Amino acid sequence: MKHIKILGLLLVVGFLGILSSCSEDEEIQGALVIQTGLLKNVMYTSALCGGEISGGAEIGERGVCWSTAEHPTVTDAHTSDGKGRGEFLSEMNGLQEGTLYYVRAYAYTNEGVQYGDEKWCVTLAKGRPTLAMVSVTDVKTSSAIVKAEVFTDGGTEITERGFVYALSSAVEGELTLENAGKVKVDGKVGTLKCMLEELIDHSEYVCRAYVSYTGGTVYAQSLYFMTEMFPEPAVEITSIDDIRGESFQVSVKAVSGTPLPILEYGFVYGEVAVPTLEDTKVVLGEGDGEKSYKLEGLEQGITYQVRPYARNKNGVVYGEIQSVTTLSYKAIISTQLSAHITAHRAYAGGEVTSTGLLNAPIIEAGICWGTAHNPTIAGNKVMAEGVDGEHLKFEPLQLFPLNPNTTYYVRAYVTNEYGTTYGEEENFKTRQPVADYFKAEASKEDNPLFNALNLTADFLDKQASADQIEAYNKLVPILTSYGSRILKAYRISLGTNSSKDLSYIYTSLEYENSSGKAYSAIWRSELAVNANYQYTVSHHAINTGNNNASNIINSAAKNGQTEDLERSMNYLTEGPFVIDWDTESSTTFNSAFYIIPLNAPEKYKRMEVYRNTKITVYDPWW
Amino acid sequence: MKKYIFIILSVLLLGCDKMEDNVFSENPDDRLQKTEEEYRQTILAAPNGWFLAINTKKEGAYRFWMSFTEEGKVAMLADMDATYSGIGETSLVPSGSTWQLKALLAPSLIFETYSYLHLLADPDNNIIGGTKGEGLGSDFEFRIVSEDNGGLNLKGNFNNCLARMDPATPEQAVKASEGGLKTVLEKHADYLEAVRFPTIEVGETKYLVKPNTRKTDFAYIDKENNLVEKTVGSYLDFNSLTQEAFASDVHFFEPVELDGMTFKGLKWNGEAYQVEIEGKTYEIFDNKVPPYPLHFGYNQTFSQLYVNANTMQGTLSDSFMNELYTPAYNRLGERSRYIQEMYCKFVMDALSGKPVMEFGVTYENKSNGKTFTAKWHYPYDVNEDGTLTFTDREQTGSTNEFIYEEYIYELPDLFCGLEYSNYGDADNWSQVVKSKIIPHTFKVDWAENKTPGLSGNIGGLFRVEREELFIAGQLKQ
């Protein structure tokens, strides 16, 4: 019995223990906190929110409330998601699409309805597709690759998409499905890309992507591009034959080489150097082909320029010009310009290609030139010798004097009893003046390559002029008479002034006495130059530095050699002269320049470049 | 008895056996995958694409408009061309990447292939600026921190850049596809030009709240008289485009705590920006000058002031121009010398061991194209109210001021006038005898910038007895 009592007591204690351990938590103390939950899963008409409630007292109904105005209350739309503290999840339904809502959690408490922090969201809404052009690439003659991006469908059904395009000149206003060609591209949202084909070459196109959907059609911004141009057609004169006094026959061949057809081909001709469609035109045909045409009613002895052409939609292309001269009673001559052109000289020859229909004797032939087109024998001319019925060709003649840096026009001419005819006109430009090169070279601070021109005995074998050799040789006996002096050099040095302009000339005798001691006798001159780089001696004197020149002059006078001495030493005081290049390689050491008297060009002095370290720049000394 | 005790204890223990609830019905991997799938559905559900704003470490917010496809592709436009003209038309020409959601430590949105987004993090700082090796310090892998307010809050996995994604409305999407990302920033420049110093006043304190293009600056003077400055990355929504408002709302990447207040963003109310602080709304107004005192003087925040009268028209007063500058300019001009610039600079005077104000006039001698400066030193007293009294002036010894002072005397006289008894007889300044010194007192303050296109902090020295007679210029430290 005692055990039963104890057992009963223990059971009671045990049940009390169980009850105690299973009882509810005590009321939580603390301030009321209402936290609005994460506002998520926002869709077109629904969203998820909720909240968490802690603290406070007499917590009753809870949920979220929402409104399109800030600070919603339970008088607005709301959920009811149980009672009391703790977390809860709220489903918000019946929302309007595309609307800004403000949301707060709420709870009824002993202090009335209390609210949590405010959240907001915009419900999803259907709109329209959006798109943009990305690029136009690989633009060829008749195709281009276009690319665009459909970003979104806006919640609608895309029924078609693609590109619209047209020649930009063919549309007014915006490009649409109604006024342009289109290419459909399968798909919905994402990249769309395709090749536009059968485009016209060398044309500006406008293009943009489009998307059709249940609500209509929308377009991207327009992009412009230019297709490449097809290569030009080839056109050439295949032959000019049957040349007569008043006629000749021309054959022209034209080939397109591309899908673009030749709309017209033929040739143009005239006496002008480069005839165009503005001159006389002969249409031979269209498309690819080769045709001939006989020109009639021409003038005798006239040189015509014949130029083939072809035209397609992109324009006109010309082939190579050919010259043809009709036969005549007059002789016909061609001009042959030499490539050797210096600052003051050029060379041109000629060849009589026809003595005329009656083979009349040639009275005169040669070269005429001037600074204007079509020079005639009324201007500058040089006559060729020995041109007759047997010798129809003459070698290049020297055209002298020319001015530096100047364009000249030159024609060969031939005259018989029926008149004078001229060959085709050639032109050339003379080189820069030697003085410019001297100035540039002499202006170098250290060791200019050369600063003077020089003539020595060693140079006599190197294409010296006869006059030059004679002048040298006449000085030898003068020095012998002077006292068995031996001539070592007959030197003409050109020097620059402080502005590095060619301004001085030194004519000197370099000689040795019997003991082998070297001496110089120097004559010096100040030069004046005109705009055409023609020089004259303005002041002339013997060098005052020593008595050598005076002694030689006196010796020559005593021995009747004054004329020979002056012939060599005063050579350049007699008239104007030019200083000219020799060849293109004149600027290299051991090359040559020329001093050429204008009135006697055959008395030129050929001189080598020289670095005269003794040259000092003098102030004017007179 | 032991048997009973055992039974009782067993009952008690049984009663106390609280089996731990299985809080989650799935394991962590399953939960992560489920969350990831929910995010994927959220991203794909938006019919008009998403705006993504990234708060780069170097330059604040860059904004993108993106559309995601189920196939893992994402097309985007970006607002970089608003501030980088050489970057291409990022707001008009789409760029593409691939994307995926990946279950890393948290569900992460990863942009895989190079796109506009990656430009911001390009290590070649010739691309878009920033520093070599990290560009603007941006991210292209983001963990999704939460979904709230209808959008996604993200954080960069590498640079921890905050980012925010919001679904676009139909109207916003259309504007974005037409270059709106750039346009909205360009429109905002109009606001910044019109309102130079956006300010709110709370109590007796003014706070500068300046919403720049990619970040918002805050500044105020605290109770200890220190200038407190803060900056937060911020971005503009499309209200100025879709609602034809003058300005767009400004969204902060994170709230800003300032002087015990929390700023969460700026709203445009049709007339002005407003900010809500603890339930109260404050309107932002143009204070014309910074809303805190100017500290200009020796060893102060600013110690130099430069004046180019030719480029500051409107900011300098008519009194200064008509009474002082123009007469001096013309007289010096008659001697082929033309004033180019003036300055006021607070420096230490080596002889006296005290700070002085140096006033300089730089002019060009047209005959040789060289520039010269005439300089004067002014000792000064700082008065109780903070004003400065320039008590004397000395030339600094060069012939520039000695020869030309008589032609431009109005300018050095502005601060302290002098009369001389023997200037004309002196060979240099040391022989000059002053017969009268006329000190002037000046207030240091900001000057209103009234010159279009003139930038920088503009301050001035205002003569107390005639406040319209002031010299103003660009301040330098």
Side-chain angles (χ1 to χ4, degrees), chain A residues 243-288:
Chain A
I243 301 170
R244 296 172 184 275
E246 287 89 21
S247 67
F248 56 83
Q249 179 165 296
V250 180
S251 298
V252 173
K253 181 181 179 183
V255 178
S256 167
T258 71
L260 268 190
I262 293 173
L263 301 175
E264 178 184 308
Y265 76 92
F267 63 89
V268 292
Y269 69 98
E271 293 179 58
V272 296
V274 183
T276 66
L277 289 174
E278 304 300 314
D279 298 297
T280 310
K281 176 176 85 168
V282 175
V283 180
L284 295 179
E286 61 184 66
D288 290 7

Side-chain angles (χ1 to χ4, degrees), chain B residues 182-397:
Chain B
K182 179 184 179 186
T183 315
V184 75
L185 297 189
E186 290 174 338
K187 280 196 76 171
H188 192 65
D190 296 339
Y191 171 80
L192 293 171
E193 180 67 22
V195 184
R196 297 286 181 101
F197 295 95
T199 302
I200 61 166
E201 189 165 8
V202 181
E204 294 180 350
T205 306
K206 286 181 176 179
Y207 301 84
L208 177 78
V209 183
K210 187 169 188 180
N212 295 305
T213 307
R214 302 191 185 278
K215 52 179 73 168
T216 297
D217 294 330
F218 298 85
Y220 75 103
I221 297 291
D222 68 10
K223 292 182 177 60
E224 283 73 44
N225 219 22
N226 298 314
L227 176 64
V228 180
E229 293 176 296
K230 268 194 175 180
T231 296
V232 64
S234 60
Y235 58 93
L236 304 161
D237 63 23
F238 262 34
N239 285 355
S240 66
L241 303 182
T242 57
Q243 299 176 15
E244 297 184 355
F246 179 71
S248 291
D249 289 354
V250 180
H251 301 264
F252 298 164
F253 282 97
E254 54 191 340
V256 176
E257 299 292 335
L258 196 74
D259 203 15
M261 300 178 291
T262 303
F263 295 77
K264 293 180 178 173
L266 310 180
K267 284 192 172 180
W268 183 255
N269 66 8
E271 300 289 333
Y273 277 115
Q274 61 184 37
V275 57
E276 191 173 300
I277 304 168
E278 294 163 4
K280 286 186 71 175
T281 300
Y282 298 87
E283 196 165 276
I284 292 176
F285 57 92
D286 187 5
N287 199 55
K288 307 292 186 189
V289 296
Y292 38 80
L294 167 62
H295 296 292
F296 175 47
Y298 185 71
N299 269 348
Q300 300 283 315
T301 308
F302 300 102
S303 64
Q304 303 175 56
L305 177 155
Y306 286 84
V307 190
N308 184 330
N310 296 326
T311 59
M312 289 180 57
Q313 290 176 13
T315 297
L316 296 166
S317 70
D318 289 346
S319 300
F320 175 83
M321 291 299 292
N322 297 337
E323 295 177 32
L324 310 185
Y325 182 78
T326 303
Y329 182 91
N330 289 340
R331 278 200 302 275
L332 197 61
E334 288 169 6
R335 279 140 192 89
S336 296
R337 287 159 177 82
Y338 296 91
I339 297 174
Q340 294 185 320
E341 190 175 60
M342 296 169 287
Y343 68 83
C344 298
K345 189 190 292 185
F346 287 88
V347 297
M348 178 58 71
D349 183 64
L351 288 176
S352 66
K354 291 180 179 176
V356 293
M357 193 276 281
E358 179 178 299
F359 173 65
V361 177
T362 301
Y363 58 88
E364 181 188 6
N365 180 344
K366 280 289 181 188
S367 63
N368 59 19
K370 293 182 177 177
T371 56
F372 302 90
T373 301
K375 294 182 276 193
W376 295 264
H377 278 180
Y378 297 79
Y380 62 91
D381 294 331
V382 181
N383 305 311
E384 274 188 25
D385 60 358
T387 57
L388 306 176
T389 301
F390 298 106
T391 54
D392 196 358
R393 86 164 187 250
E394 298 286 343
Q395 292 186 359
T396 56

Side-chain angles (χ1 to χ4, degrees), chain A residues 472-494:
Chain A
Y472 186 91
N473 290 335
K474 283 189 182 295
L475 291 171
V476 174
I478 293 172
L479 284 174
T480 303
S481 304
Y482 177 49
S484 302
R485 268 54 170 192
I486 300 163
L487 179 63
K488 305 301 291 185
Y490 162 47
R491 175 173 293 166
I492 299 174
S493 300
L494 291 165

Side-chain angles (χ1 to χ4, degrees), chain B residues 19-37:
Chain B
M19 288 289 286
E20 190 178 341
D21 288 339
N22 191 352
V23 178
F24 302 107
S25 58
E26 301 151 324
N27 66 42
D29 283 346
D30 291 342
R31 286 203 312 275
L32 199 55
Q33 277 196 353
K34 187 179 174 188
T35 308
E36 181 189 312
E37 184 54 30

